[in-house]
Amino acid sequence: MVYCTLGVRSEVVANELIERGYRDVKNLYGGISEWKNKDYVVVDSTQTPTENIHVYSKKWGKWLTKGNPSLLIYEKAKHPEGASYFYPQP
């Protein structure tokens, strides 16, 4: 399962994973924003329900109508076109 704020970037990553040989790859259509906006549960790294939702930017955070937008900074691998992705090994 891959996801991002709106589901656009994760769709690109999902397709690239499939091209690299991964099977049963799923993209969260609409991203984490739509998931939370539909009142589905989001949990943090300790499996505790949270209202804090990581969004790509303040601009993209406007699509989150429920929960608290969070702009956390992670160490990322840079994609040649400037987007940041994490790539696992098959």
Side-chain angles (χ1 to χ4, degrees):
M1 170 64 68
V2 293
Y3 70 92
C4 64
T5 302
L6 300 177
V8 177
R9 293 169 297 131
S10 58
E11 183 175 356
V12 172
V13 172
N15 289 331
E16 289 187 23
L17 288 170
I18 291 167
E19 289 174 9
R20 291 173 183 234
Y22 287 88
R23 297 180 182 177
D24 198 29
V25 176
K26 305 289 186 213
N27 175 41
L28 181 60
Y29 182 82
I32 193 70
S33 295
E34 185 171 328
W35 180 269
K36 184 60 185 170
N37 292 343
K38 289 183 175 182
D39 285 324
Y40 296 144
V41 175
V42 176
V43 296
D44 64 18
S45 62
T46 66
Q47 301 302 305
T48 303
T50 184
E51 294 296 311
N52 298 323
I53 309 301
H54 177 259
V55 293
Y56 180 73
S57 68
K58 286 184 181 182
K59 182 178 177 181
W60 286 25
K62 71 181 179 181
W63 300 107
L64 181 68
T65 59
K66 297 184 178 179
N68 306 316
S70 173
L71 294 173
L72 300 176
I73 299 172
Y74 294 100
E75 186 176 330
K76 301 174 184 178
K78 282 304 224 175
H79 187 273
E81 284 127 28
S84 298
Y85 303 109
F86 293 97
Y87 288 112
Q89 297 300 312

